[in-house]
Amino acid sequence: MRKAILFLFLFSFSVVGEAANEAVLFRLDQTLARQKAIVEQKEKRITEQRFRFFQPQDIQSRLAICRQLMQEYLFFQYDSAKAYADRGIRLSDQSGDTENLLDFSISKARILSIGGLYDISYRLLLNMEPEDMSLANRKNYALAMADLFRFWESYSNDPEFTPFHREKSHEWLIHYLSFLTPGTPEYDFYQAKYNMEVFRNVEVANRYYLKCIAAFPKTNRYYARSCFTYAKNCWNAGLRQRAIRYMAEAARSDVLACTRENAAFKMLAEYLMQIDAGNSVMAEKYINAALNDAKSYNNRLRLIEISQSLPPILEAYKRQLN
């Protein structure tokens, strides 16, 4: 009798989880259907900023708008983000503004690493002297280095070089944390990463990720990244329905924020296929969304990752249609 009751409880819990995820996936599909309008709204804002950039004004005002445009494009369009970083470098150099010159140079290195040009990004960062920088630039430099080596580790996947990249990423992550204020959402996010990547303490990391999910708005990249990693941790722990829920939340947040440099749609498609090959129609939709984002952003690493996941999903999709 006890076994029967336990089975019914677990079954009902599973049904509730699946029903909740149907609602989450439905909201994701609704948001995905509005993606064109969301992107148009962002492009309108960018157009207004570009108009202001070319108006007569002092150099500091132009640099401020240039930085805003670079940030708008940072995870939206690689080539444009790099173009405004280069403009910022030229304007800073022409005006003799060392502080802004370093700021835009660090940003350019970060953009190059996001786009997969790791060696060029590294050489650019090595040409700088962080000891001589302002506090703000030292902080940005540490983050650029941490992200560069994390991306490089993922891309190379080489037993000879991966340990070096991982060690350097951890070293710079710890250094970056020293610039953050404890108790702030940003600090909590990087504490989560620290516990995940350095200590491998998933339980503590999850507590920090849940704090971040509660603290950041759904249009914030930190919200999407927190949902993404928390979902992966849930999946690895066997909590599949919870993983689907939070990975869908990460994907939806990426759409709302126009973040084209993302991995949530790809992972969501893979999770759905692993749960049931009959989910191939949904998986095909999400893997194509991931592919479109990677192409629009021009991200080498994402394109490689997606190209590896695409064939089995499309094959299952074709079988289901037939």
Side-chain angles (χ1 to χ4, degrees), residues 184-189 211-224 226:
T184 61
E186 186 184 5
Y187 178 85
D188 288 342
F189 177 81
K211 285 179 67 176
C212 293
I213 291 167
F216 286 108
K218 294 187 177 183
T219 53
N220 190 290
R221 180 168 163 78
Y222 283 126
Y223 175 88
S226 298

Tab-separated table of all heavy atoms in Angstrom, residues 184-189 211-224 226:
chain	number	residue	atom	x	y	z
A	184	THR	N	25.536	42.448	-3.147
A	184	THR	CA	24.888	42.954	-4.355
A	184	THR	C	24.570	41.782	-5.289
A	184	THR	O	25.223	40.738	-5.230
A	184	THR	CB	25.796	43.950	-5.094
A	184	THR	OG1	27.012	43.280	-5.478
A	184	THR	CG2	26.145	45.138	-4.197
A	185	PRO	N	23.566	41.925	-6.162
A	185	PRO	CA	23.239	40.835	-7.091
A	185	PRO	C	24.417	40.430	-7.983
A	185	PRO	O	24.600	39.240	-8.252
A	185	PRO	CB	22.089	41.422	-7.920
A	185	PRO	CG	21.442	42.414	-7.017
A	185	PRO	CD	22.579	43.024	-6.243
A	186	GLU	N	25.222	41.403	-8.431
A	186	GLU	CA	26.378	41.063	-9.272
A	186	GLU	C	27.376	40.219	-8.482
A	186	GLU	O	27.945	39.250	-9.007
A	186	GLU	CB	27.047	42.339	-9.783
A	186	GLU	CG	28.169	42.064	-10.766
A	186	GLU	CD	28.900	43.319	-11.218
A	186	GLU	OE1	28.608	44.413	-10.692
A	186	GLU	OE2	29.781	43.205	-12.099
A	187	TYR	N	27.604	40.587	-7.226
A	187	TYR	CA	28.510	39.809	-6.376
A	187	TYR	C	27.975	38.382	-6.208
A	187	TYR	O	28.739	37.409	-6.304
A	187	TYR	CB	28.648	40.487	-5.010
A	187	TYR	CG	29.520	39.734	-4.035
A	187	TYR	CD1	30.910	39.901	-4.032
A	187	TYR	CD2	28.956	38.856	-3.103
A	187	TYR	CE1	31.710	39.213	-3.129
A	187	TYR	CE2	29.747	38.165	-2.206
A	187	TYR	CZ	31.127	38.345	-2.220
A	187	TYR	OH	31.921	37.655	-1.327
A	188	ASP	N	26.675	38.245	-5.982
A	188	ASP	CA	26.075	36.917	-5.824
A	188	ASP	C	26.260	36.072	-7.081
A	188	ASP	O	26.526	34.867	-6.994
A	188	ASP	CB	24.584	37.041	-5.499
A	188	ASP	CG	24.331	37.552	-4.091
A	188	ASP	OD1	25.260	37.491	-3.254
A	188	ASP	OD2	23.206	38.038	-3.826
A	189	PHE	N	26.121	36.714	-8.243
A	189	PHE	CA	26.286	35.964	-9.492
A	189	PHE	C	27.703	35.410	-9.616
A	189	PHE	O	27.894	34.227	-9.942
A	189	PHE	CB	25.964	36.857	-10.698
A	189	PHE	CG	26.190	36.169	-12.012
A	189	PHE	CD1	25.231	35.297	-12.523
A	189	PHE	CD2	27.361	36.352	-12.727
A	189	PHE	CE1	25.441	34.635	-13.730
A	189	PHE	CE2	27.583	35.694	-13.934
A	189	PHE	CZ	26.615	34.838	-14.433
A	211	LYS	N	19.173	33.256	-5.755
A	211	LYS	CA	19.129	34.645	-5.287
A	211	LYS	C	19.183	35.600	-6.473
A	211	LYS	O	18.473	36.608	-6.510
A	211	LYS	CB	20.299	34.926	-4.339
A	211	LYS	CG	20.159	34.334	-2.950
A	211	LYS	CD	21.373	34.642	-2.085
A	211	LYS	CE	21.471	36.120	-1.770
A	211	LYS	NZ	22.603	36.415	-0.848
A	212	CYS	N	20.029	35.288	-7.446
A	212	CYS	CA	20.157	36.138	-8.643
A	212	CYS	C	18.874	36.126	-9.466
A	212	CYS	O	18.434	37.168	-9.969
A	212	CYS	CB	21.330	35.664	-9.513
A	212	CYS	SG	22.950	35.887	-8.757
A	213	ILE	N	18.275	34.957	-9.605
A	213	ILE	CA	17.033	34.842	-10.374
A	213	ILE	C	15.935	35.689	-9.736
A	213	ILE	O	15.114	36.307	-10.429
A	213	ILE	CB	16.607	33.361	-10.484
A	213	ILE	CG1	17.594	32.609	-11.395
A	213	ILE	CG2	15.187	33.224	-11.023
A	213	ILE	CD1	17.472	31.091	-11.331
A	214	ALA	N	15.936	35.738	-8.407
A	214	ALA	CA	14.944	36.543	-7.698
A	214	ALA	C	15.259	38.039	-7.767
A	214	ALA	O	14.348	38.868	-7.716
A	214	ALA	CB	14.870	36.106	-6.235
A	215	ALA	N	16.542	38.385	-7.912
A	215	ALA	CA	16.953	39.791	-7.825
A	215	ALA	C	16.969	40.520	-9.167
A	215	ALA	O	16.605	41.701	-9.238
A	215	ALA	CB	18.346	39.889	-7.186
A	216	PHE	N	17.389	39.848	-10.227
A	216	PHE	CA	17.546	40.525	-11.516
A	216	PHE	C	16.231	40.532	-12.304
A	216	PHE	O	15.468	39.560	-12.249
A	216	PHE	CB	18.619	39.839	-12.366
A	216	PHE	CG	20.024	40.084	-11.913
A	216	PHE	CD1	20.766	39.079	-11.304
A	216	PHE	CD2	20.622	41.326	-12.097
A	216	PHE	CE1	22.059	39.297	-10.888
A	216	PHE	CE2	21.926	41.558	-11.685
A	216	PHE	CZ	22.649	40.548	-11.076
A	217	PRO	N	15.966	41.601	-13.065
A	217	PRO	CA	14.788	41.606	-13.952
A	217	PRO	C	14.975	40.609	-15.095
A	217	PRO	O	16.102	40.256	-15.454
A	217	PRO	CB	14.750	43.049	-14.481
A	217	PRO	CG	16.137	43.562	-14.324
A	217	PRO	CD	16.715	42.878	-13.120
A	218	LYS	N	13.879	40.170	-15.669
A	218	LYS	CA	13.944	39.125	-16.696
A	218	LYS	C	14.571	39.602	-17.996
A	218	LYS	O	14.891	38.782	-18.869
A	218	LYS	CB	12.547	38.560	-16.957
A	218	LYS	CG	11.994	37.819	-15.744
A	218	LYS	CD	10.694	37.099	-16.038
A	218	LYS	CE	10.239	36.321	-14.807
A	218	LYS	NZ	9.008	35.542	-15.049
A	219	THR	N	14.759	40.905	-18.140
A	219	THR	CA	15.419	41.430	-19.337
A	219	THR	C	16.917	41.608	-19.115
A	219	THR	O	17.620	42.099	-20.001
A	219	THR	CB	14.815	42.791	-19.716
A	219	THR	OG1	14.848	43.657	-18.574
A	219	THR	CG2	13.382	42.639	-20.191
A	220	ASN	N	17.419	41.181	-17.963
A	220	ASN	CA	18.832	41.336	-17.639
A	220	ASN	C	19.601	40.081	-18.019
A	220	ASN	O	19.139	38.958	-17.764
A	220	ASN	CB	18.986	41.631	-16.143
A	220	ASN	CG	20.398	42.040	-15.765
A	220	ASN	OD1	21.319	41.228	-15.785
A	220	ASN	ND2	20.561	43.307	-15.419
A	221	ARG	N	20.773	40.254	-18.585
A	221	ARG	CA	21.581	39.105	-18.997
A	221	ARG	C	21.970	38.219	-17.818
A	221	ARG	O	22.071	36.999	-17.952
A	221	ARG	CB	22.830	39.604	-19.735
A	221	ARG	CG	23.752	38.479	-20.225
A	221	ARG	CD	24.795	39.004	-21.185
A	221	ARG	NE	25.902	38.082	-21.356
A	221	ARG	CZ	25.868	36.984	-22.104
A	221	ARG	NH1	24.771	36.692	-22.766
A	221	ARG	NH2	26.927	36.197	-22.200
A	222	TYR	N	22.185	38.823	-16.653
A	222	TYR	CA	22.536	38.026	-15.475
A	222	TYR	C	21.377	37.099	-15.075
A	222	TYR	O	21.605	36.000	-14.559
A	222	TYR	CB	22.907	38.922	-14.298
A	222	TYR	CG	24.292	39.521	-14.397
A	222	TYR	CD1	24.492	40.902	-14.300
A	222	TYR	CD2	25.409	38.712	-14.569
A	222	TYR	CE1	25.755	41.452	-14.383
A	222	TYR	CE2	26.685	39.249	-14.649
A	222	TYR	CZ	26.857	40.621	-14.548
A	222	TYR	OH	28.116	41.154	-14.631
A	223	TYR	N	20.150	37.540	-15.291
A	223	TYR	CA	18.992	36.682	-15.021
A	223	TYR	C	19.043	35.457	-15.935
A	223	TYR	O	18.889	34.311	-15.480
A	223	TYR	CB	17.695	37.458	-15.243
A	223	TYR	CG	16.442	36.620	-15.100
A	223	TYR	CD1	15.843	36.450	-13.856
A	223	TYR	CD2	15.852	35.994	-16.203
A	223	TYR	CE1	14.696	35.677	-13.712
A	223	TYR	CE2	14.722	35.221	-16.071
A	223	TYR	CZ	14.141	35.065	-14.826
A	223	TYR	OH	13.014	34.278	-14.691
A	224	ALA	N	19.254	35.692	-17.222
A	224	ALA	CA	19.298	34.591	-18.187
A	224	ALA	C	20.444	33.633	-17.872
A	224	ALA	O	20.272	32.406	-17.905
A	224	ALA	CB	19.446	35.143	-19.600
A	226	SER	N	21.907	33.122	-14.992
A	226	SER	CA	21.625	32.401	-13.741
A	226	SER	C	20.651	31.261	-13.991
A	226	SER	O	20.859	30.134	-13.513
A	226	SER	CB	21.056	33.370	-12.698
A	226	SER	OG	21.982	34.383	-12.374
